[in-house]
Amino acid sequence: MSATERERVMPPRPLLPWTMALCAGMCMSCALVLNVAADALLREQTPAVGLLWAIPVAAAVFVVLGQFCAPLAPWKRWLYAASVGLVAGAVVSAWWAVGALSASKALDGRAASGLEFVVQGDPSINDDVYSYTCEARADGKNLATVRLSCDLELKVGAHARVIGRVSRFENDAYGRSRVLRGEVRKVQAVRIVSVDECSPGPLLRLRNGLLASIAPATDPARALIAGVICGRSAELRAQPAGDWFSVTGTAHLIAVSGSHLAIVGFVIEGVLQKTRCSRGLHRAILAITLMGYAAFTGASPSAVRACCMVFATLVVNGAGRRRHGASALFVTMSIFVLLRPTVLFDMGFQLSCASVFAILCFCPYATYALGELGVPSGVASMLSVTLCSQLATLPITIPAFGTFSLIAPLANAVIGPVVSVLLAVSIVLVPFSLVGPLRTWALVVPMIAARCALFFEQLFAAVPGASVSVPPESMWIYLVPCLLAVLLVWWPRPRARPMAVGLACLVLLAAIPYVYWDRFAPPSVTVLDVGQADAILIRQGDALALVDCGLDGRVVAALVRNNVHHIDAVFVTHWDEDHWGGLPAVLEQFSVGTIAVAADALEDAPAEVLNRPGVEYRQVRRGDTVDIGSFCARVMWPFESVDGEGNEDSLVLLLSYVQEGKGLRMLLTGDAELDQELEFVQEVGDIDVLKLGHHGSKVSVDGELLDVLKPELSLASAGEGNRYGHPSDACIDAVKEAGGVFACTIEHGDITVTPTANGFAMRCQRP
């Protein structure tokens, strides 16, 4: 193609509709009102009600500017739309806030046993604990939306009665996110009294039947099939395979959205083309089918958003008008916020809208630019979709997950088509699994496609540097949307040579983090978020050690997001599975030099961790020291030889770091409890940081122990909604009464402590 031909296909700058201003005004006022309401619901600080005056003032200013400022005349419609959006968003969110405060008050003094809970959607699963969004009812009347945690799987629409505790959310990142999504209280069920599954509708009956035949909890491939066809990804996310999708930046492939509806529509179109129905009936059947599929998969905001945009496109095409994707997007978003303002804080909705907007605006430009570099058009189209959506969603994904996938473009280009094939064949074949004799055969082809997708997921997730850790508070992530906005205004013509130089620089920049973390990592101790389990990362320079390995493969994902490429030593404190269960996965993924255990505990080691080629096995005793870079790990417990089976056998390490005026003393206690800790606490003395024993159980610390150790910070590693109630209120209260700060991986994700000249600094994966 000649240069002049390429110039003719240069995509024009996209036209942004005035509905964008309407939607932006609505979102800003809703966000302000809902955060003020959240302050009131959490009761941790005085709500900043005075800030609400900014909404009518800003709306009035926009109207005045539109009416009387001549230079802004071309933007009059935008100013009026923004004003209307501000007022409308404030009204609907204030209405919701009043209802939420009233609902919260209605739950005051009520026991969980006096309420009936109606399950509203699929659960999230963490360490065999199921958490549901439920409607709390009393005397047949809906009182409030709550978060119910229990150890039993409940079906959508089930009515449950429980014995447990109703409490407020803590004013932390997790608690605020749940409140902003509309859940005013949390309920921890101790015992399920009764469950009435009622009579589900036809769609729900079909979905439950398919899920029963797929059995997603039994196999990762089955869990993937359930995710792509039924929209239920809880089982997949609860398994180590779920972390592969996060590492490779392909999690969106299992979330029902526009791409899913496009494939479903393609299958339906193929069937309808075999009939002789009219074009109008054709469109009507397609629209009804897509809406039914969105409802069938759980009616997630991203799915309903995509369905609404498809429906709007069909209507516009039927009316003979030119379609405009951005207009449909912002109208759909505005309707969503008007109907349910809390959807604004649903991450799926945020990611869906941001990625669709970026694809509509920049995908043709990125495809053209890649074409100028000689990339084939088909490959350029796939890469541009991934790049646009990934860059646009950085301000959402980085604060939430603290990682950035470098391999996402390649992974999406390879795995995306496989998942598309999986969805297409599953839609056709999986329904036959409801027929008894065909159940096994109906899943054969989908299982092959699912295993193929998981193979590539594991392959890409295992690539060193596939995902890099990014501090959630990094301000540079907000620079990316600003640069995209500049690009939208400037819209320069891509030139091959400057782009090639720029890409070469980006490749070099991408290599810098790998070299930095592999050779020049600063001294740090990170309590990894691996659910109801323990895993602690110690590193400095090119030296790296891991204390415990979690329960399963989640530890691998945690190490990858913390830029780990090799491990010099693994300390296994004892042989409880939540401390060694992830070790086989670690040994398969990383080069490990030494496995260290307490004296004589190696005799009872699980067979899965023994006799690994290239691995040295070491038994350490009280008083032994191990150097990890400039860290010195000293064994404080056990006093005698042990078999490593019980909590009382847990290896306890005192970490010390002193270099260049910086110092840190941190005690890692494994599952040790008070009876063991009091034996050596006087010898340990004053420390900076305490890793609480046994996940912060009530027998892990008391005032006497804390009076000797005097930790400024106490950390617990536990899983959200775990059945043991860890960390216990007694433990948290003891730490706070002693004047220390408490933090847990449940709320903060990975927690990193670094020595400084004035003590230490703490950085969290989730602020």
Side-chain angles (χ1 to χ4, degrees), residues 66 78 92 204 251 256 301 309 329 353 367-368 398 464 695 717 720 724:
W78 282 67
V92 296
L204 190 55
V256 179
M309 290 186 65
L329 172 64
C353 294
T367 302
Y368 177 78
I398 297 298
H695 316 288
S717 176
E720 176 190 341
Y724 312 103

Side-chain angles (χ1 to χ4, degrees), residues 346-389:
D346 184 287
M347 183 174 293
F349 180 73
Q350 294 173 353
L351 293 173
S352 176
C353 294
S355 60
V356 168
F357 177 65
I359 290 169
L360 289 172
C361 288
F362 300 106
C363 194
Y365 184 90
T367 302
Y368 177 78
L370 291 172
E372 289 289 291
L373 289 173
V375 179
S377 59
V379 177
S381 297
M382 288 189 293
L383 290 177
S384 62
V385 169
T386 303
L387 288 171
C388 292
S389 59

Side-chain angles (χ1 to χ4, degrees), residues 32-47:
L32 182 57
V33 173
L34 293 181
N35 272 289
V36 171
D39 289 339
L41 288 167
L42 293 168
R43 287 190 175 179
E44 291 289 336
Q45 59 190 63
T46 303

Side-chain angles (χ1 to χ4, degrees), residues 89-112:
V91 170
V92 296
S93 55
W95 182 269
W96 177 88
V98 170
L101 290 169
S102 175
S104 179
K105 187 175 181 180
L107 290 178
D108 285 340
R110 288 187 180 268

Side-chain angles (χ1 to χ4, degrees), residues 401-441:
F401 306 114
T403 58
F404 177 73
S405 177
L406 294 175
I407 207 169
L410 178 60
N412 277 274
V414 174
I415 301 170
V418 180
V419 174
S420 297
V421 171
L422 169 62
L423 176 57
V425 298
S426 296
I427 290 170
V428 176
L429 297 176
V430 171
F432 288 103
S433 66
L434 296 175
V435 182
L438 300 177
R439 176 166 298 177
T440 302
W441 296 102

Side-chain angles (χ1 to χ4, degrees), residues 20 52 75 92-93 199 233 340 343 351 372 440 580 585 745:
M20 180 179 178
L52 299 181
W75 299 92
V92 296
S93 55
S199 178
S233 58
R340 184 160 69 93
V343 75
L351 293 173
E372 289 289 291
T440 302
W580 75 267
T745 56

Side-chain angles (χ1 to χ4, degrees), residues 518-560:
D518 204 47
R519 291 287 177 258
F520 307 103
S524 65
V525 182
T526 302
V527 179
L528 300 173
D529 180 15
V530 290
Q532 183 65 19
D534 265 14
I536 302 166
L537 177 65
I538 307 164
R539 73 190 315 170
Q540 198 251 333
D542 60 353
L544 190 146
L546 185 64
V547 179
D548 287 329
C549 299
L551 179 64
D552 49 36
R554 278 177 288 184
V555 67
V556 171
L559 293 170
V560 168

Side-chain angles (χ1 to χ4, degrees), residues 549-553 555-556 570 572 575 577 579-590 592 595 606-610 612:
C549 299
L551 179 64
D552 49 36
V555 67
V556 171
V570 174
V572 181
W575 299 120
E577 193 171 6
H579 291 256
W580 75 267
L583 181 54
V586 170
L587 291 169
E588 291 174 8
Q589 184 75 35
F590 301 98
V592 175
I595 295 177
E608 298 96 313
V609 303
L610 293 175
R612 294 278 182 158

